[in-house]
C-alpha cells in the first residue's frame, strides 16, 4: 500500500502497526502533515502503535474475555521480571553456579529464548541441543517453562503465540483492517500471527517502503573526527540555506559515535554554548539514542543520596551534595554550605558517614557564623532517622516506597522549579521505581543494599531521551531510520568493521539450527544480505544522499 492509501485506510478506522516506537511517531507526524495539507484543522487521532504495544493491547483485550473454564489469565512478565526469573533459574542450576557474570549470561539466555520463539526452533527435541552451552540452555529453558506454569506467568516472547491462539479460538476479535509497516525481516512467529488475523477475516497488508529515487555520492575521510566535522558543517550549511528541509544523519554504530557527535555538533551548531551552556531542549538536532537514565545528573544525585546510607561517600561527593541545587535549602544556604565545605576539606578526612557528617554539622552549628547550615543539618537528620527505622529485609514494593521517603527527607529534587527535561527525567525515575516494585511478583524479600543494587541495574538499563520540540535534524541508527523519508540524508561511519556488521550468533543455540533457520546475526552471508537490503532502502530514502567512511 502507498502512503496515501494507508492514510485513507486510517481515516476509515484501520490499525497501523510499526516495527518500532520511533517509526510510529513518524507516521503520526506524517499523518498530521497530510491532514493539514488537505485543509483540515481537526481530525481524529489514527490508531498507530508499535508492534510490542499492539501485542500488549491485544493481550489486555484477551484477558478481559478470558474463559472462566481456563481459570485466571497468566500474568505477563515485564522484561525486568523475566530477567530476574532467568537469573534465579541459572543460580539454582549446577551449570549456572559456575558462571562469572550471571546477569549478562541471563540476558543472552533470554535472547536465545526470544530467537527460539520467534523462529520456531524445536526446543522440545533434546537430541538437537548438543554441546555444553546448548545443553545447558535446554535444561534452563525446561526449568523456566516449569516455573511459568507453576506460577501462571507468561513470558513476553510467547505473547504473539498467545494472541494467535486467542484469535483462532475466537477469544479475541481482530480489527477489520491492519497495516504493518517497516518489517524488513519478519520472523515466522509474526507471519503466523498475521495468518491467524487473515483467517479471522482481518484484511492485513504491508505498507510499501517509500522510494525517493534521488542521487547518492560517496566520500572518505582521514579519521572519525574529520568525518564528524564534515557532517556537522554540512548540517549547518543545510540549516542555513534550506531551513524547511528534513535532514537525516544515520550511523551504524551510533552508541560509539554519540559522545563525539554531541561534542562536535554543539561546537559547530551552537558555538554560543561555550559561554552560555546550551539547554538540550534548544538544540537544533535530536539524537535518537539516549544515554542510560543513570547518567543524568539529577538521577546520579538520587543514587548518591541513597547509597550514602550504607557506603560512606568520599569528601568530594559531600562537596557535590553540599553545593547541589537538588536538595532542600540549596539557594538559602549556598554561601554557608560553601564555607562549611571549605572547612570540612581542611580536616583531611577522606570519607564521611552520614552520622559523622552530622557531627561536623553540629560543631559548625554550635560555632555559628559562616558554615552554619541548619537546613542541611535538619534534613540530613531526618534522612538518618528514616533509614534507621527501615527493616532489614522487605519486598521491592516496600523498598520503592522507602527510597522515595529517604529522598523526600533530603528535599530531592530541590525547591526550584524543574525545567521540561528535568521534569521528564524525574518522571522516568518514578517509572523505574514502579518497575522495580513490580519485581516483588517474582522475587523474595531483599536487603537494602541488594534492593538498591537491583534498582541501579534497572536504571542503568533504561535508555532515556527527554522529548523536545520537533527539529529538522534527526540523528539515528541504521534500523531506526527504516521507513522514514528525508530531504537530505548523510549515512556516515560505513567502514569495513561497521558495515556489514560481523556475525553475532547466540552461543546457546546450536549452529546447525541457526544455519537451517537462517537466524539473524548467525552467518556472514545473513549479515551481508540484510545489510544490502537496508542499504538499498536508505539510498532511496532521500533526494540527496551522502555516504561516508573514516
Amino acid at each position: 500500500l502507498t502512503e496515501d492509501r494507508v492514510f485513507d485506510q486510517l481515516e476509515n478506522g484501520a490499525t497501523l502497526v510499526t516495527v518500532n516506537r520511533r517509526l510510529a511517531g513518524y507516521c503520526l507526524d506524517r499523518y498530521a502533515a497530510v491532514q493539514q495539507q488537505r485543509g483540515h484543522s481537526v481530525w481524529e487521532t489514527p490508531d498507530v502503535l508499535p508492534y510490542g504495544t499492539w501485542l500488549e493491547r491485544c493481550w489486555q483485550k484477551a484477558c478481559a474475555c478470558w474463559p472462566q473454564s481456563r481459570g485466571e489469565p497468566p500474568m505477563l512478565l515485564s522484561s525486568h521480571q523475566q530477567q530476574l526469573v532467568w537469573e534465579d533459574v541459572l543460580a539454582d542450576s549446577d551449570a549456572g553456579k559456575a558462571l562469572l557474570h550471571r546477569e549478562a549470561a541471563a540476558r543472552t539466555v533470554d535472547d536465545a529464548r526470544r530467537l527460539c520463539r520467534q523462529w520456531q526452533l524445536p526446543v522440545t527435541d533434546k537430541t538437537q541441543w548438543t554441546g555444553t552451552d546448548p545443553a545447558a540452555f535446554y535444561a534452563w529453558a525446561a526449568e523456566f517453562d516449569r516455573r511459568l506454569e507453576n506460577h501462571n506467568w507468561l513470558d513476553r516472547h510467547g505473547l504473539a503465540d498467545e494472541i494467535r491462539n486467542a484469535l483462532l479460538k475466537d477469544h479475541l476479535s481482530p480489527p477489520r483492517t491492519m497495516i504493518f509497516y517497516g518489517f524488513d525481516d519478519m520472523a515466522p512467529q509474526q507471519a503466523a500471527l498475521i495468518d491467524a488475523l487473515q483467517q479471522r477475516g482481518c484484511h492485513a497488508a504491508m505498507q510499501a517502503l517509500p522510494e525517493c529515487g534521488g542521487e547518492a555520492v560517496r566520500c572518505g575521510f582521514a579519521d572519525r573526527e574529520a568525518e564528524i566535522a564534515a557532517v556537522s558543517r554540512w548540517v549547518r550549511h543545510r540549516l542555513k540555506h534550506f531551513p524547511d528541509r528534513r535532514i537525516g544523519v544515520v550511523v551504524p554504530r551510533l552508541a560509539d559515535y554519540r559522545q563525539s557527535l554531541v561534542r562536535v555538533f554543539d561546537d559547530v551548531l551552537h558555538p554560543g554554548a561555550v559561554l552560555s551552556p546550551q539547554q538540550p531542549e534548544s538544540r537544533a538536532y535530536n539524537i535518537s539514542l539516549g544515554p542510560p537514565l543513570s547518567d543524568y545528573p539529577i538521577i546520579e544525585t538520587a543514587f548518591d543520596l541513597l547509597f550514602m546510607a550504607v557506603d560512606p561517600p568520599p569528601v568530594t561527593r559531600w562537596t557535590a551534595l553540599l553545593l547541589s541545587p537538588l536538595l532542600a535549602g540549596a539557594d538559602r544556604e549556598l554561601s554557608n554550605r560553601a564555607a562549611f565545605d571549605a572547612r570540612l576539606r581542611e580536616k583531611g578526612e577522606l570519607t564521611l558517614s552520614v552520622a559523622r557528617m552530622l557531627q561536623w554539622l553540629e560543631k559548625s552549628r554550635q560555632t555559628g557564623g559562616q558554615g552554619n547550615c541548619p537546613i542541611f543539618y535538619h534534613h540530613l537528620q531526618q534522612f538518618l532517622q528514616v533509614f534507621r527505622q527501615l527493616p532489614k529485609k522487605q519486598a521491592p514494593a516496600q523498598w520503592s516506597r522507602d527510597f522515595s521517603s529517604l529522598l523526600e527527607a533530603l528535599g530531592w529534587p530541590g525547591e526550584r522549579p524543574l525545567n521540561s527535561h528535568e521534569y521528564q527525567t524525574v518522571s522516568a525515575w518514578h517509572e523505574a521505581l514502579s518497575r522495580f516494585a513490580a519485581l516483588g511478583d517474582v522475587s523474595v524479600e531483599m536487603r537494602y543494599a541488594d534492593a538498591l543494587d537491583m534498582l541501579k541495574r534497572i536504571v542503568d538499563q533504561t535508555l532515556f531521551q527527554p522529548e523536545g520540540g520537533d527539529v529538522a535534524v534527526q540523528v539515528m541508527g541504521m534500523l531506526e531510520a527504516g521507513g522514514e523519508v528525508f530531504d537530505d540524508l548523510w549515512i556516515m561511519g560505513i567502514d569495513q568493521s561497521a558495515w556489514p556488521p560481523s556475525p553475532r550468533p547466540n552461543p546457546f543455540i546450536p549452529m546447525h539450527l541457526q544455519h537451517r533457520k537462517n537466524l539473524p546475526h548467525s552467518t556472514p552471508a545473513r549479515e551481508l544480505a540484510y545489510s544490502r537490503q537496508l542499504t538499498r532502502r536508505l539510498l532511496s530514502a532521500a533526494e540527496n544522499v551522502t555516504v561516508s567512511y573514516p
Side-chain angles (χ1 to χ4, degrees):
L1 295 177
T2 62
E3 182 183 75
D4 290 339
R5 179 61 176 158
V6 168
F7 288 167
D8 290 338
Q9 296 274 19
L10 289 176
E11 287 183 345
N12 295 325
T15 297
L16 176 62
V17 176
T18 62
V19 71
N20 56 42
R21 188 175 300 276
R22 178 184 176 87
L23 189 54
Y26 169 78
C27 290
L28 286 171
D29 291 340
R30 283 289 304 150
Y31 184 84
V34 170
Q35 293 299 317
Q36 290 175 339
Q37 291 172 3
R38 294 176 177 177
H40 298 158
S41 58
V42 178
W43 56 87
E44 185 175 349
T45 302
D47 191 23
V48 179
L49 65 171
Y51 180 70
T53 304
W54 174 70
L55 287 179
E56 291 182 9
R57 188 177 73 177
C58 290
W59 178 245
Q60 291 173 359
K61 292 180 179 180
C63 289
C65 305
W66 196 261
Q68 293 184 353
S69 59
R70 298 182 62 187
E72 291 293 323
M75 182 188 78
L76 178 62
L77 296 177
S78 70
S79 57
H80 298 291
Q81 289 173 329
Q82 198 159 302
Q83 166 81 8
L84 192 58
V85 174
W86 277 118
E87 290 181 24
D88 290 341
V89 168
L90 268 60
D92 293 340
S93 68
D94 293 335
K97 291 175 182 177
L99 295 170
L100 295 177
H101 302 286
R102 190 174 300 142
E103 176 188 347
R107 287 197 297 269
T108 308
V109 169
D110 184 63
D111 186 63
R113 168 80 168 195
R114 175 186 64 82
L115 291 169
C116 290
R117 285 284 200 175
Q118 291 183 349
W119 295 84
Q120 300 174 345
L121 299 184
V123 186
T124 55
D125 186 0
K126 189 175 182 179
T127 60
Q128 300 281 343
W129 298 81
T130 57
T132 304
D133 289 341
F137 172 76
Y138 180 87
W140 291 333
E143 173 61 19
F144 184 79
D145 286 332
R146 187 188 67 80
R147 297 192 184 193
L148 292 181
E149 183 177 358
N150 290 345
H151 295 281
N152 198 27
W153 294 336
L154 173 63
D155 77 296
R156 305 192 70 80
H157 307 319
L159 182 56
D161 295 328
E162 288 294 327
I163 300 300
R164 176 177 177 272
N165 293 334
L167 287 168
L168 295 178
K169 294 178 180 179
D170 202 18
H171 296 157
L172 181 65
S173 299
R176 185 176 59 183
T177 303
M178 287 199 63
I179 305 164
F180 293 86
Y181 185 42
F183 292 83
D184 289 321
D185 194 12
M186 185 165 285
Q189 183 190 50
Q190 296 170 325
L193 178 56
I194 294 177
D195 182 66
L197 287 167
Q198 293 173 333
Q199 290 185 41
R200 288 295 316 280
C202 173
H203 176 67
M206 301 293 294
Q207 180 179 349
L209 292 172
E211 293 188 7
C212 296
E215 297 182 352
V217 296
R218 181 183 64 191
C219 52
F221 295 89
D223 52 35
R224 178 184 295 187
E225 289 296 316
E227 183 186 27
I228 295 175
V231 174
S232 64
R233 291 193 297 269
W234 172 81
V235 168
R236 182 180 61 187
H237 178 270
R238 305 306 288 181
L239 287 175
K240 180 179 179 180
H241 297 282
F242 308 99
D244 296 330
R245 294 174 71 86
R246 192 167 191 268
I247 302 170
V249 178
V250 176
V251 194
R253 295 185 297 195
L254 182 55
D256 296 339
Y257 273 77
R258 189 184 193 282
Q259 187 174 359
S260 298
L261 281 168
V262 171
R263 173 175 51 81
V264 177
F265 273 42
D266 280 350
D267 184 47
V268 173
L269 301 178
H270 304 290
V274 176
L275 300 177
S276 177
Q278 188 79 13
Q279 293 297 328
E281 55 260 43
S282 62
R283 282 177 173 148
Y285 65 95
N286 173 69
I287 296 185
S288 64
L289 178 66
L293 181 59
S294 54
D295 283 1
Y296 289 83
I298 197 167
I299 306 301
E300 186 180 5
T301 299
F303 276 115
D304 284 342
L305 298 174
L306 294 174
F307 273 112
M308 74 182 185
V310 290
D311 188 13
V315 173
T316 53
R317 287 310 303 158
W318 280 114
T319 296
L321 294 175
L322 282 165
L323 303 180
S324 171
L326 301 173
L327 303 183
D331 292 336
R332 288 173 285 167
E333 285 187 345
L334 180 59
S335 59
N336 280 17
R337 291 184 187 184
F340 173 78
D341 173 60
R343 294 181 185 178
L344 184 66
R345 284 185 277 113
E346 291 175 355
K347 306 298 180 181
E349 297 199 44
L350 298 179
T351 60
L352 286 174
S353 65
V354 176
R356 182 64 173 160
M357 172 59 81
L358 283 170
Q359 292 176 3
W360 284 115
L361 286 167
E362 174 64 21
K363 290 181 180 180
S364 181
R365 191 169 68 90
Q366 293 174 355
T367 304
Q370 282 284 74
N372 181 24
C373 308
I375 300 177
F376 187 74
Y377 176 78
H378 170 71
H379 284 276
L380 197 60
Q381 269 190 325
Q382 283 188 328
F383 175 86
L384 190 59
Q385 289 172 1
V386 171
F387 176 74
R388 286 175 172 172
Q389 294 172 0
L390 298 178
K392 290 187 176 180
K393 296 179 69 176
Q394 58 182 349
Q398 281 71 44
W399 281 126
S400 177
R401 176 201 61 203
D402 291 333
F403 290 154
S404 295
S405 298
L406 287 168
L407 294 175
E408 184 180 350
L410 289 166
W412 182 90
E415 299 170 342
R416 62 184 176 82
L418 301 177
N419 62 35
S420 173
H421 282 192
E422 289 173 332
Y423 180 83
Q424 293 180 58
T425 305
V426 172
S427 298
W429 164 262
H430 290 306
E431 292 175 5
L433 281 175
S434 298
R435 292 195 296 272
F436 167 73
L439 294 181
D441 294 331
V442 299
S443 70
V444 296
E445 293 184 342
M446 55 184 70
R447 297 180 182 274
Y448 179 92
D450 295 332
L452 192 53
D453 286 338
M454 182 63 69
L455 175 62
K456 183 68 164 56
R457 279 175 47 185
I458 291 175
V459 175
D460 285 341
Q461 294 170 10
T462 303
L463 299 181
F464 176 69
Q465 183 86 309
E467 295 182 3
D470 188 25
V471 295
V473 183
Q474 299 292 327
V475 184
M476 66 205 82
M478 295 291 283
L479 298 179
E480 296 169 301
E484 297 194 27
V485 175
F486 306 91
D487 296 307
D488 302 290
L489 178 64
W490 190 309
I491 310 170
M492 62 182 298
I494 307 292
D495 60 24
Q496 63 178 4
S497 63
W499 202 251
S502 301
R504 305 187 313 276
N506 191 292
F508 293 106
I509 300 178
M511 286 306 301
H512 68 89
L513 288 179
Q514 298 196 47
H515 291 170
R516 184 194 309 170
K517 292 285 188 176
N518 200 25
L519 262 60
H521 314 301
S522 59
T523 65
R526 177 69 155 77
E527 292 295 87
L528 178 59
Y530 187 56
S531 297
R532 281 176 171 163
Q533 181 180 358
L534 288 180
T535 301
R536 284 194 298 268
R537 184 187 68 195
L538 288 173
L539 290 178
S540 62
E543 298 176 3
N544 304 299
V545 182
T546 302
V547 182
S548 67
Y549 55 93

